Amino acid sequence: MGPAGPTGPVMSREEADRALERLTAEHEAVESSLLALQDHAGRRLLEGAELTGTTARRWARAEAAITRLWTVFEHYSGALAKAQEVRERRRWPSREDLVELTRLLRGPRTLPGSLLGEDAAAAGGGGGPRLTEEVTLGGLVEWMNSWYAQALDVVAAADSVWSALPARIDMLAAELRRVRSLAHSVGVRPGEHPSGDDLERTTEELTALRAEVVSDPLAFWTSAGGSSAPGGGRPDTSRYDRAARQLEDIRREIDAVLNVRQDSEQRLMRLRDVLSRADRTLAEAREARGEVLAKIAASEVPAVSGPATALHEDLSAAAEYRRHSQWHRLSPLLESLEQRAEDELDRARAQLSAVTAPLAVRAELRGRLDAYKAKVAQQGMAEDRMLIERYDAARRMLWSAPCDLRAAEDAVLRYQHAAQDVLTARQGRGSGGPARAEGVADS
């Protein structure tokens, strides 16, 4: 280390060589980065686009930073070339050579403040813009790295958004056109069907979204939290995702309408069959009610409703919709009709069951009476006078019209109890075997 020079201690030959090697490597790295930035697809797209909003403001600052980069890089290259020229004068540099190398490699140089831009003071720790700036080659490298990161952040983010969103939006728009064509073919149009209105809104949203993405890609960039890496973040696809979900919902609705077009005839036939069965069941219930009123002395027999007129009218309307290819109107009507028709058939069956319940009770009593008579006959007691009288009384009630079910049930119970008593008495006299067991089990 020699005596002090104009810029501090004079560098030794080894120190000068190491400084030259380091600054040359930094020069090559900066040059390689600048050339890569120059050829970056995102930069070419930014230069050719009509930018708006956030992207226009940030790209204007990035362009200025790129211009300063090249200008300062040329100054840096010239200073480095001068230092290399001095070093190449002699294998063993003289005192004057080392002093000059120290000044070139370590010493500050004066540059116009306008050349370094508004970021120079912040990068160099200054208090604000000045007419001139004193900066070393190392300081120039720091400024160039800062400007490069600023420019690359804008270029990489815009390129990421343009790579991610416009192509996807175009694919979604193509799918939307296909769905719209299908929708029109089945009558799903704006103002006539909710899905037609949704299609219109989704089309407008995709058109607006693409225009905004192309002109202001950085408005759709979400920076990674805490990341300072150029381009650190991801494209914001939330609006695209919402439009895609909306289109999927519309597509499912259109598919449902298309399915209606394909199977509407079979569904209408099934509906007619269900309603016909419901009508026949109600007619049977009305006929059965007349029979019950004639044969059973019932205090209450529920009334039977008439055919479902509203359902038949809606069925006729559905047939008209199908005839005129109004599939978007037919689809919801068929779904409603299918459920209501099944409900109507269930209601008709319930009414038939309610009306015929007294006849079922009478039939059950007749069967029970005959079953006990058969048991009595098996035990050889068919000629018992008391049993004959009670059987005849119960039978007259059950086979007369109108039949008093309560009185008939009491008569059947009297016959049943009398038969049990007789059988028990006979068993007490020693009559056993299979017949005894059967009589007790069924009592």
Side-chain angles (χ1 to χ4, degrees):
M1 184 77 65
T7 59
V10 177
M11 301 169 67
S12 66
R13 179 176 66 85
E14 292 79 8
E15 289 175 327
D17 288 343
R18 286 197 297 272
L20 269 174
E21 182 179 0
R22 175 177 56 80
L23 291 172
T24 299
E26 290 177 344
H27 176 275
E28 293 174 353
V30 170
E31 183 179 36
S32 176
S33 297
L34 280 173
L35 292 175
L37 182 62
Q38 190 73 16
D39 293 334
H40 198 291
R43 172 179 174 152
R44 293 196 297 270
L45 290 172
L46 284 165
E47 288 178 336
E50 296 182 4
L51 302 175
T52 61
T54 300
T55 308
R57 293 189 296 271
R58 291 187 61 187
W59 175 236
R61 293 195 294 269
E63 276 194 307
I66 293 172
T67 299
R68 291 195 297 272
L69 257 173
W70 280 107
T71 301
V72 171
F73 178 72
E74 290 175 1
H75 183 88
Y76 179 89
S77 300
L80 187 59
K82 177 63 176 174
Q84 289 172 337
E85 179 185 341
V86 172
R87 178 62 187 88
E88 291 171 357
R89 288 175 185 169
R90 302 173 184 86
R91 181 177 180 183
W92 301 101
S94 66
R95 162 75 180 175
E96 291 75 12
D97 292 339
L98 291 175
V99 169
E100 188 172 3
L101 282 172
T102 300
R103 178 182 63 79
L104 290 171
L105 297 177
R106 286 184 175 174
R109 61 204 63 251
T110 301
L111 295 177
S114 59
L115 173 64
L116 303 181
E118 60 185 13
D119 297 329
R130 296 192 293 270
L131 294 177
T132 60
E133 291 288 342
E134 298 291 327
V135 59
T136 63
L137 290 182
L140 288 180
V141 171
E142 292 179 4
W143 282 344
M144 286 190 293
N145 286 336
S146 174
W147 295 331
Y148 173 78
Q150 175 187 344
L152 182 61
D153 188 53
V154 173
V155 169
D159 186 51
S160 294
V161 172
W162 278 333
S163 298
L165 276 174
R168 295 170 68 183
I169 293 172
D170 290 343
M171 292 178 63
L172 191 62
E175 173 65 10
L176 187 145
R177 288 191 294 271
R178 186 190 71 83
V179 172
R180 179 193 288 153
S181 176
L182 289 174
H184 284 190
S185 72
V186 293
V188 176
R189 297 183 176 86
E192 298 181 12
H193 191 280
S195 292
D197 298 331
D198 292 341
L199 265 176
E200 193 74 9
R201 285 191 293 269
T202 305
T203 300
E204 293 172 357
E205 166 65 3
L206 280 182
T207 302
L209 178 60
R210 194 185 194 288
E212 292 174 32
V213 167
V214 169
S215 66
D216 191 9
L218 295 187
F220 298 87
W221 181 254
T222 301
S223 297
S227 174
S228 59
R234 60 178 179 79
D236 179 5
T237 63
S238 56
R239 283 177 62 183
Y240 167 86
D241 294 336
R242 283 195 299 271
R245 288 192 297 270
Q246 181 68 44
L247 182 58
E248 178 61 20
D249 292 341
I250 296 170
R251 187 191 61 76
R252 282 197 294 267
E253 176 65 22
I254 301 305
D255 286 345
V257 176
L258 284 170
N259 290 335
V260 168
R261 182 172 67 177
Q262 293 170 358
D263 60 12
S264 59
E265 183 176 2
Q266 289 77 12
R267 291 173 70 180
L268 284 171
M269 289 177 62
R270 286 195 297 269
L271 274 171
R272 292 189 184 98
D273 178 63
V274 171
L275 286 180
S276 176
R277 282 187 285 156
D279 290 345
R280 289 196 302 271
T281 303
L282 288 175
E284 184 180 350
R286 285 190 292 273
E287 183 179 350
R289 187 174 188 271
E291 181 182 354
V292 169
L293 291 174
K295 296 181 177 180
I296 306 295
S299 58
E300 291 184 5
V301 179
V304 180
S305 62
T309 306
L311 278 175
H312 285 281
E313 291 175 352
D314 287 346
L315 185 59
S316 298
E320 283 296 310
Y321 288 154
R322 182 179 183 278
R323 190 174 300 113
H324 294 93
S325 301
Q326 294 179 310
W327 311 112
H328 63 292
R329 297 181 186 274
L330 179 59
S331 178
L333 182 56
L334 275 180
E335 292 181 6
S336 170
L337 271 172
E338 286 167 341
Q339 182 59 54
R340 291 159 59 201
E342 290 295 337
D343 292 343
E344 176 66 12
L345 181 57
D346 291 342
R347 186 178 66 86
R349 288 168 173 167
Q351 290 194 48
L352 177 60
S353 297
V355 165
T356 58
L359 293 176
V361 170
R362 187 185 68 173
E364 190 273 334
L365 289 173
R366 286 178 172 179
R368 196 195 314 174
L369 180 65
D370 289 341
Y372 271 95
K373 182 183 178 184
K375 291 180 187 296
V376 169
Q378 287 176 0
Q379 298 298 323
M381 303 180 65
E383 303 302 324
D384 186 286
R385 182 175 298 277
M386 186 264 292
L387 291 180
I388 293 173
E389 290 176 356
R390 292 195 177 185
Y391 173 81
D392 290 342
R395 192 178 191 287
R396 280 195 303 272
M397 291 182 184
L398 287 172
W399 269 267
S400 63
C403 171
D404 187 334
L405 287 178
R406 291 178 183 174
E409 183 177 15
D410 290 341
V412 171
L413 286 173
R414 285 195 298 272
Y415 176 72
Q416 177 181 342
H417 292 157
Q420 290 172 344
D421 291 342
V422 171
L423 290 173
T424 301
R426 180 171 182 175
Q427 292 163 2
R429 294 194 298 269
S431 176
R436 174 179 179 274
E438 184 179 356
V440 174
D442 292 331
S443 59

